Amino acid sequence: MITIITILSGIEDIPSVFTIKDVIFNSLGKPEISLRITIIRIIVNIAAFIIGVSMGGLIGLALAYAIVTLLSIIPTFYLAGKQINVSIGRMAKNLSRSFFATVIMGIAVYFVYSYISEAGLGSFFQLIIPALIGGLIYFLIGFSLKFD
């Protein structure tokens, strides 16, 4: 069964990447572009949420959010890249390293958490140990791939 947290856990990293556009547009003295993108995303999100809830309740809402978030990546990065003369392909290549590290970290955290849960360690260790190991793995992968 698909749960809301399953849908949102993989998608929720994407909005943090959207902050790159704010840095680009604001540093170029063009915050109005970022504002327009944000307003359009809000309107599209509201429409998607209404459709998602009416078609599938909370699962529909989560799926609608995931779809809108994924579909809004390309035009957002296209506009940001255009401002600094960087192609979408180059941006994707640079972000793919971070995405790869995130996926590996997520897999590691899942297995570490599963092992700790089965071992019967307390809630404190179930939160802290996977987070520390996940952060360490992300750092080591990032260091070895030399993120741009």
Side-chain angles (χ1 to χ4, degrees):
M1 180 170 118
I2 297 176
T3 63
I4 295 169
I5 196 72
T6 303
I7 297 167
L8 295 179
S9 64
I11 295 299
E12 198 47 43
D13 288 336
I14 294 171
S16 65
V17 176
F18 277 114
T19 59
I20 293 170
K21 75 158 172 56
D22 295 328
V23 172
I24 292 170
F25 294 129
N26 291 340
S27 66
L28 294 172
K30 299 181 180 182
E32 68 279 357
I33 298 173
S34 182
L35 177 64
R36 288 184 194 137
I37 291 170
T38 301
I39 290 169
I40 291 168
R41 285 193 68 222
I42 289 169
I43 293 168
V44 171
N45 273 332
I46 290 170
F49 291 171
I50 291 169
I51 293 168
V53 168
S54 67
M55 296 181 78
L58 288 177
I59 296 290
L61 177 103
L63 287 172
Y65 176 73
I67 291 167
V68 167
T69 300
L70 289 171
L71 291 178
S72 63
I73 291 172
I74 294 172
T76 299
F77 281 110
Y78 171 76
L79 290 172
K82 190 174 173 183
Q83 296 297 313
I84 58 173
N85 296 321
V86 175
S87 70
I88 265 195
R90 172 98 188 248
M91 288 177 130
K93 179 183 174 195
N94 289 339
L95 290 172
S96 67
R97 298 173 190 162
S98 178
F99 179 74
F100 173 74
T102 301
V103 168
I104 298 301
M105 177 190 70
I107 292 168
V109 166
Y110 173 79
F111 284 113
V112 168
Y113 178 79
S114 296
Y115 177 76
I116 290 172
S117 294
E118 288 178 19
L121 295 176
S123 298
F124 176 77
F125 292 109
Q126 290 178 3
L127 290 173
I128 296 300
I129 293 174
L132 290 174
I133 291 174
L136 178 64
I137 288 171
Y138 187 86
F139 174 77
L140 291 174
I141 291 172
F143 184 74
S144 67
L145 293 178
K146 298 179 182 164
F147 291 153
D148 291 338

